[in-house]
Structures are given as C-alpha cells and as structure tokens.
Amino acid sequence: MAKLSELRIQQLKKELENCGWNTIGNKMELKARLREVMESQGIDVDEYVFNPDGDEITTKIEGKNETSQTVTSTDLNMILPAISAQTSTVTSMSSQMSSQMEEQKTHIAEMSSEITSKIEAQETRMSEMSTQITSKMETELEEQKTYMASQLEEQKTYMTSQLAKQLKAQEARISSQLEAQEIRVTSKLEAQDTKILQFEEKIEAEMDALRGRIEQLQLNRPAVSTSNPKVKTPSFDGSVPFQVFKLQFEKTAAVNNWNAEDKVAALFVALKGPAAEILQTIPEGERSNYGALMAAVERRYGSEHRKQIFQIELQNRHQRANETLQEVALDVERLAHLANADAPVEYTERVKIQSFINGIRDLETKLHTRTQS
C-alpha cells in the first residue's frame, strides 16, 4: 500500500496506463497528470491508497463517523469512457499545439532567415564602408606624407641657407679680426724695428767710443809677451760658436805662455764687430779681470743665450715682401731647430708648423694652411 507521493515512476506510469492516459514525462509531470485524472473523478487524492502489487485499488476514507468504504477495480470500468474522451481531447489539443509549434518554428525559421539576410547585407555594407574608409585613409595618409616631405625639404633649404649665411658672417668676422690682429702685430713690429734701429745706432756710437778707448789702451799699456806670439790670437765676432772660440783662445794662451794680464790684452784684441760691444757693458773695475771678461762674452754668445735669441727671432719671423713660402719655410725650420735643440722632435715639429703659419703674409693663404694643418 502506498499514497501518491510514495509511488515510483514505473508505478505512476502503470496507474496512468490503466486509466488510458499518456505515460510520457518525468516524475512530477506523471504525479500531476494522475492527480488531475483522479480529481476529475471526484477522488480525494491525498487520502487515496494505492495497491501497486494487486489488481484492486482500495481507498480508505476516514470521516468524522469513522466509516470506511472500499472501491474495487470494477468501479473504474465505469469511468474509462470518460477518461478515453478526455484522452481524445488531450490528443486533439496536443495535435493543435504541435501544429501551432510547427507554424511557430516555420515563422521562427523565416524570421531567422530574414535576420540572417539583414546581417549579411549589413556585413556587406560594413565591408564596403571599411574598404571606402581604408581607401580614404590611405589617400589622406599619402597626401599627409607628401605634405610633410615638402615641409621637410623647405625646412632643409631654409636651414641650409641660414647656415651658409652664418658661416659667411663668421668667416667675415674672423677675417676682419685676423686683419686687425695682423695690423696690430705689424704696428708693434714696426715700432720694435724702430726701437732696434735706435738701439743699434746707440750701440754703434758707443762702439766707436769703445774702439777709441781700446786703441788708447793698446797704445798706453806696457809691452807684453803677446808682441811676438808663437800662435796667432783667434778673433771672435759672434758668427762662430762661443765654445769653439773659447777652446781656441785657451789653447793659444797656453802655447804662448800668457799670464792673466796677457789674456786680458789678447781678449780685447780678439773681440771684433758686434762682439766688441760687450766691452762697454763691463764695469771699469772689472776690465782687467780675465774671468769677468770671458764670462761676459759667454753670457752673450753662450748656448743658452743663443737659444733665447733664436726663439725671439722665430717668434718675430714673418714673410717679407717678394719672399717665397719655400724660403720662409727653410728659415723657420733652421730657427726652430736652433731654438729647440734639446727639445723632443714632436715638439720642434709643432713649433715649426705654428711659426710657419703665423709668418705667412697673405691672410687667405694663412687661413687655408691653418685649416689643412
């Protein structure tokens, strides 16, 4: 025995099959369908007790007077025609619903086809619009590229023009500054040349006075052993190296057996030309001192002194009128080696090149040479 809620699916289907109803569906649908059939027959479903294992179905109805009534399966035969009619009605309704569902499916298919067509048409339009936009963008991009290229070319031309103007102006300023510098240097050199000429005239006058003094000393001094020397006294005018003259003079003094006084007298006689000018620079009290006389000559014509003279000459060496660049280069090379005899070769070469460029007379040639060096 079991109530409706306790029946299994197979039992529910069996009860519906006995009533001639559709047995398709899940457990809830089958319970609902069986409840509907029994309620249509006036049966209290919640109180109805099923006998799924026997041929009879017994219903126990408990009332207030606690009476009971038994309904057999024979009574069900009386309600089968009604159930069959209802089944036919349900079948008809199911057929109508199926027809309506088919119509609905057809309508949905038509709508789906229409929507698909619209989507395809929209996609076609979108593709065409995309192609048009792409073409338009490519055209605009090409126009923009052409415009930018023309702008860059114009900017390049403008910058080149401005740079050329600036370079020309800079070149003009440099040329003007170099010309002004050359004028100032030339003016200074001319002033220095004037001072040198004045100094030379002064020296010449003093030399004349000194020669007279020497002649007077030679006439008034007592006779010495140099009157008949065995070896002739060497002369010195500054054109030969001082060390060579000194060695020759010392050797001559030794051979001739000169004393200190004889050496002084012989040195006075040996100095010639520009070298004799040194005598007037020696104080009166030291003119009888051989060591002081020889030291004075060495200060003037020794190696260190001559290097300074050559350096000054190298700094002031400029191309003279009608003098070729080859002649200037040879003289500059000579002075550079004399002024830097003990310096490294690389340093001497740099000094030689710089002095040569500074000495070029023509400004354009000077600038070109400086650029190439």
Side-chain angles (χ1 to χ4, degrees):
M1 298 298 179
K3 289 188 177 183
L4 178 62
S5 61
E6 298 173 350
L7 295 178
R8 294 189 294 274
I9 292 178
Q10 295 299 328
Q11 295 170 347
L12 290 169
K13 287 183 177 182
K14 184 177 179 181
E15 295 295 335
L16 288 171
E17 186 178 357
N18 292 333
C19 296
W21 279 69
N22 187 12
T23 60
I24 299 174
N26 55 31
K27 187 174 182 179
M28 292 181 65
E29 291 175 346
L30 295 175
K31 283 183 179 181
R33 196 175 302 152
L34 184 57
R35 178 183 288 276
E36 182 182 357
V37 172
M38 295 177 69
E39 287 179 350
S40 65
Q41 297 175 0
I43 300 174
D44 188 356
V45 180
D46 294 329
E47 298 296 332
Y48 192 82
V49 179
F50 295 89
N51 183 14
D53 298 327
D55 293 334
E56 295 183 350
I57 300 176
T58 304
T59 304
K60 181 179 180 181
I61 301 174
E62 296 179 355
K64 293 182 180 179
N65 54 5
E66 296 181 357
T67 62
S68 61
Q69 181 181 0
T70 302
V71 180
T72 65
S73 59
T74 305
D75 298 331
L76 292 175
N77 292 328
M78 297 175 63
I79 63 176
L80 287 177
I83 294 174
S84 178
Q86 289 185 359
T87 301
S88 177
T89 303
V90 171
T91 303
S92 177
M93 291 178 63
S94 176
S95 177
Q96 291 178 0
M97 290 181 65
S98 297
S99 177
Q100 291 178 357
M101 288 180 65
E102 289 296 330
E103 292 177 358
Q104 190 71 18
K105 288 181 180 179
T106 303
H107 180 65
I108 291 173
E110 292 175 355
M111 290 182 64
S112 176
S113 177
E114 183 179 357
I115 291 172
T116 303
S117 300
K118 290 182 179 180
I119 291 174
E120 290 177 352
Q122 185 70 16
E123 289 178 349
T124 302
R125 286 196 299 272
M126 291 295 291
S127 178
E128 292 176 355
M129 290 178 63
S130 176
T131 303
Q132 293 176 357
I133 292 172
T134 303
S135 176
K136 184 177 180 181
M137 289 180 65
E138 289 178 352
T139 303
E140 292 179 352
L141 183 62
E142 190 65 27
E143 292 176 354
Q144 188 70 14
K145 182 179 178 181
T146 304
Y147 174 75
M148 291 297 294
S150 64
Q151 290 293 315
L152 287 173
E153 188 64 27
E154 292 178 0
Q155 188 70 15
K156 181 180 178 181
T157 304
Y158 175 76
M159 292 297 292
T160 303
S161 175
Q162 292 296 317
L163 183 60
K165 290 180 181 180
Q166 292 178 3
L167 289 175
K168 189 174 181 180
Q170 185 71 13
E171 183 179 355
R173 286 196 298 270
I174 293 174
S175 177
S176 176
Q177 292 174 359
L178 288 175
E179 288 178 357
Q181 183 69 17
E182 185 176 7
I183 291 172
R184 288 194 296 270
V185 171
T186 303
S187 177
K188 290 181 179 179
L189 289 175
E190 289 177 353
Q192 188 173 4
D193 290 341
T194 302
K195 291 181 179 180
I196 291 173
L197 289 175
Q198 293 175 355
F199 182 73
E200 288 179 351
E201 291 176 355
K202 182 179 179 181
I203 293 298
E204 187 65 26
E206 293 179 354
M207 283 297 300
D208 291 340
L210 184 59
R211 290 190 186 95
R213 178 63 177 170
I214 292 173
E215 291 177 357
Q216 184 178 3
L217 289 173
Q218 290 176 348
L219 292 175
N220 296 331
R221 71 183 181 88
V224 295
S225 60
T226 58
S227 58
N228 294 312
K230 296 178 182 179
V231 179
K232 184 179 178 180
T233 305
S235 60
F236 180 73
D237 59 0
S239 59
V240 298
F242 171 75
Q243 296 298 332
V244 175
F245 164 71
K246 186 176 181 180
L247 289 173
Q248 291 176 343
F249 188 85
E250 293 291 345
K251 188 65 175 176
T252 302
V255 172
N256 292 333
N257 294 321
W258 289 341
N259 55 24
E261 186 177 355
D262 293 335
K263 289 181 180 180
V264 170
L267 186 57
F268 264 82
V269 176
L271 298 178
K272 306 292 184 182
E277 298 175 3
I278 299 175
L279 298 174
Q280 65 182 348
T281 63
I282 300 173
E284 188 71 26
E286 295 183 359
R287 290 180 181 178
S288 299
N289 187 333
Y290 170 75
L293 290 174
M294 187 59 77
V297 178
E298 185 173 6
R299 283 195 300 271
R300 177 68 178 274
Y301 293 99
S303 58
E304 291 299 324
H305 175 74
R306 291 181 67 84
K307 284 174 61 177
Q308 294 177 1
I309 293 175
F310 290 138
Q311 289 174 359
I312 294 173
E313 290 181 2
L314 183 62
Q315 292 175 0
N316 297 328
R317 184 62 171 90
H318 293 82
Q319 183 182 11
R320 293 182 287 272
N322 300 325
E323 187 179 19
T324 64
L325 291 177
Q326 289 78 8
E327 294 173 345
V328 176
L330 289 174
D331 194 36
V332 166
E333 185 174 10
R334 178 184 66 84
L335 292 173
H337 285 292
L338 291 173
N340 303 279
D342 300 331
V345 177
E346 294 80 3
Y347 175 77
T348 304
E349 288 296 320
R350 289 198 300 270
V351 172
K352 180 172 63 177
I353 294 172
Q354 188 63 40
S355 299
F356 173 72
I357 294 173
N358 293 337
I360 296 175
R361 186 181 186 88
D362 183 65
L363 181 60
E364 185 176 353
T365 304
K366 179 184 292 187
L367 290 174
H368 178 72
T369 307
R370 191 185 302 278
T371 303
Q372 296 298 322
S373 62

